[in-house]
Amino acid sequence: MCRDKTDNSTGLQPGMIVRSKAGHDKLRLYLVMQVMHDRVWLTDGAARPVDKPKMKNLRHVKAIDTSVYRDMLQLLQNDGDAGQKNAVIRHLLEHCAGHRPANTPKSPVSKKEES
């Protein structure tokens, strides 16, 4: 995916991946949809879908990467239903968290064999 680097001194920008630092959603990853003054609107494609973003104080989130996923924002603005958009966001956040993609086969070695 195309990623643009942003100057860290400018703060958060739409398209950045952030981690919640406070609240009941502490440590959850989100995609920044909008930034206004001291608030950000966040989505994770699951608990907070595209059509119901979470508003959070800027002090309560931290950018985990200074990359801006502009192509992701363009994709979300194009045609497609909310379910497709949410699936794309979930996939991006799983990738950023270092999780194994859903369609990748599991390791053939079981935990018992590793011991």
Side-chain angles (χ1 to χ4, degrees):
M1 291 183 191
C2 175
R3 299 186 315 178
D4 297 326
K5 294 290 182 180
T6 183
D7 181 7
N8 214 5
S9 65
T10 60
L12 297 177
Q13 295 182 18
M16 293 180 92
I17 306 296
V18 298
R19 184 178 308 275
S20 174
K21 297 191 310 185
H24 71 278
D25 61 345
K26 187 175 180 178
L27 302 179
R28 184 182 291 260
L29 293 181
Y30 290 101
L31 175 69
V32 176
M33 298 299 291
Q34 183 179 2
V35 180
M36 257 190 180
H37 307 294
D38 63 343
R39 305 272 186 217
V40 290
W41 280 260
L42 309 167
T43 181
D44 66 359
R48 286 297 177 165
V50 174
D51 53 346
K52 289 180 66 176
K54 178 177 185 65
M55 184 179 67
K56 204 154 178 79
N57 191 312
L58 276 173
R59 295 178 299 186
H60 297 160
V61 296
K62 179 182 179 184
I64 62 166
D65 190 358
T66 57
S67 300
V68 177
Y69 293 86
R70 295 193 193 283
D71 58 338
M72 178 64 59
L73 292 176
Q74 288 177 334
L75 180 67
L76 294 175
Q77 291 174 353
N78 292 339
D79 292 338
D81 67 356
Q84 291 172 335
K85 293 176 182 181
N86 290 324
V88 168
I89 292 170
R90 286 191 306 268
H91 181 73
L92 173 66
L93 295 178
E94 286 173 1
H95 174 73
C96 289
H99 289 109
R100 177 181 52 83
N103 59 356
T104 305
K106 292 183 179 179
S107 172
V109 179
S110 69
K111 292 191 180 226
K112 288 181 182 178
E113 292 175 11
E114 291 175 353
S115 301

